[in-house]
Amino acid sequence: MRFGYWMPIFGGWLRNVEQEDMTTDWSYVRDVAVQSEQLGFDLSLIAELNLNDIKGPQAPSLDAWTLAPAVAAVTQNLELMMAVRPNYHAPALTAKAISTLETIAPGRVSLNVVSSWWADEARQYGMPFDQHDDRYTRTEEWLSVVRRLLTEPVVDHAGALYQLSGTHLEPKPAQLPTVYMGGESPRAKQLISEKSDAYVMHGDPPEVIAAKIADLRARRETSGGAPMQFGMAAYVICRDTEEEAQAELARITDVQQSPQAYASYQDFVRGSQLESQVSLEEYSVSNRGLRPRLIGTPEQIAARIREYEAAGVDLLLLQFSPQLEEMRRFGQDVIPRFRA
C-alpha cells in the first residue's frame, strides 16, 4: 500500500466547519510537504481548481502548477501528482511544464488528468466547457499530443481540437509521467481502461471498490494494456478511542446549510454522472471520503485498510483536518504497520 494525501490548497477540507486551523500560506503548505516525507507518505495530489469548492468561490485557492515547483524544491522523494484539466491547458505548454518540472524533481512528476465538471468556474475564467462525453473526447486527443511531445523529436498534429506544426520540445523527461484518471460514466471508463496507468476512485465500501477494480481490469485486458494501479480517496479520523472518533465524525457532518457549500454541491451533482447518489451529509467531506470509514483507533483503521488491500487498492489519497496534526498522528500510528 502506498500512502498519498491531498495538498491543502483550499485551507481546509470540511464544508461544515469554518475554522480548521489550516491556511493557504506557503509556510503551512511547505511544512505539510516536508513533514509528509518524514512520516513516510509517498505521494501528494496537488488538485487544480481556480475556485474553492470547499469553502466557497470567494475563499482562497492556490494554483497547482505554480505551487508544484516550490514543493519539489523542499522535498526529495515525494511524488507530485499534478492535477490537470485539458480545457484549461494547451497540451504543448503542459508538456513543456512537465519537461521543466522533471529537471527539478526527476522521476517524481505524475499527472491526474481530470475532465472538468464545474461549469461556473469555466465561465468565470473564460475557458471552454464541454458537455459530458465531449470532455473525454478532448482528454483523449490532449493526452495523445502530450505523450507525443514528450517522446518524439518533432510533432505534427492536425486534430479536431489541437493543431501543431513541426513542434520541438526539449529537454525530454527520462520517463513518461504516470497518468492517473478517475470517472464513473461508461465513456470515462472506456478512456481510462485504454489510456491511463492508474484508476483513482471516490471513496466507497470495500465490496464496491472490488467490483470497480474487477470491471476496470477486465476492460484493460480487452484493450491489451499493461496492468493498472488502483487508488481511492478517503478522509481519516484517527483517535485513541472509538468514542472520540465518532464524536469528531458527528461534529464535521453537522450540516449548517452553508449557502456556498450547498451551491457547490448542486453544481457538482448536475455536472457529473455518478454511479451512486452523494448525500448532502456526505458532501460535508469531498470525494465521498467518509464512505471508506477510516474512522476509529489506529488498530481499527489499519484493519480497514487491509480490507482495501484485499480488494485491490494499492494507493490511498487521504485528507486530514487539521492537516499537520492529523497527518502526524496517522504517520506515527498507522503507516508503520504497513512497512517492513
Side-chain angles (χ1 to χ4, degrees), residues 199-220:
Y199 182 38
V200 289
M201 297 163 280
H202 293 306
D204 265 314
E207 62 274 14
V208 176
I209 293 296
K212 291 182 177 182
I213 289 174
D215 176 49
L216 259 293
R217 281 178 172 160
R219 292 172 184 265
R220 185 69 157 200

Side-chain angles (χ1 to χ4, degrees), residues 203-206 232-238 242 245-246 249-250 252-253 281-282 288-297 300-305 307-308:
D204 265 314
M232 184 190 71
Y235 184 88
V236 176
I237 302 176
C238 184
E242 185 176 0
Q246 290 300 320
L249 175 63
I252 69 173
T253 55
E281 181 179 274
E282 286 182 309
R288 302 206 290 263
L290 293 175
R291 286 192 186 181
R293 310 303 290 182
L294 299 188
I295 299 166
T297 65
Q300 290 172 319
I301 291 172
R304 186 67 165 171
I305 291 172
E307 294 182 48
Y308 284 103

